[in-house]
């Protein structure tokens, strides 16, 4: 990514490559691979981050959510809240967890 005027604006909570010419930056992730559930634009999981994506991308937004177009879906926060609730109500001696079916 190259910007023409580096002294105007700011790039925040994004992913970029190291040789990018950017204005001021705030919590930008460099050179990490984003893994997607599907690249097929007709699939339900198109452009949604997969669970094996780097944690810096999955939780790099200001509120701890994922960086990217699906930030407002808040999947990371929903999964964490569901796991906490499952742990609270799972009887002693039993194990609980989530299985994603992407």
């Amino acid at each position: 990514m190259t910007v023409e005027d580096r002294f105007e604006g700011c790039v925040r909570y994004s992913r970029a490559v190291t040789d990018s010419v950017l204005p001021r930056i705030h919590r930008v992730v460099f050179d990490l691979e984003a893994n997607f559930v599907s690249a097929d634009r007709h699939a339900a999981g198109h452009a949604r981050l997969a669970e094996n994506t780097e944690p810096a991308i999955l939780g790099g937004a200001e509120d701890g959510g994922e960086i990217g177009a699906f930030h407002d879906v808040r999947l990371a926060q929903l999964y964490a809240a569901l796991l906490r609730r499952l742990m609270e109500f799972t009887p002693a001696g039993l194990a609980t967890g989530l299985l994603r079916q992407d």
Side-chain angles (χ1 to χ4, degrees):
M1 179 186 325
T2 302
V3 297
E4 291 180 13
D5 185 1
R6 291 190 53 221
F7 303 103
E8 181 85 24
C10 178
V11 175
R12 303 173 351 149
Y13 307 108
S14 300
R15 183 179 69 93
V17 294
T18 304
D19 59 346
S20 296
V21 178
L22 302 172
R24 292 179 309 218
I25 60 171
H26 178 70
R27 290 186 68 174
V28 173
V29 177
F30 288 98
D31 294 332
L32 291 181
E33 193 66 33
N35 299 319
F36 297 103
V37 172
S38 175
D40 178 13
R41 67 184 182 102
H42 299 291
H46 172 63
R48 197 174 80 216
L49 293 174
E51 64 182 324
N52 64 344
T53 302
E54 295 286 339
I57 296 174
L58 283 175
E62 184 174 13
D63 62 358
E66 68 182 40
I67 292 174
F70 288 96
H71 169 264
D72 290 342
V73 175
R74 303 190 189 289
L75 282 179
Q77 290 96 335
L78 289 173
Y79 289 152
L82 181 57
L83 274 174
R84 277 194 309 272
R85 187 63 67 176
L86 283 172
M87 296 293 198
E88 287 177 18
F89 292 102
T90 300
L94 295 179
T96 188
L98 291 177
L99 296 175
R100 282 182 58 169
Q101 292 185 324
D102 293 325

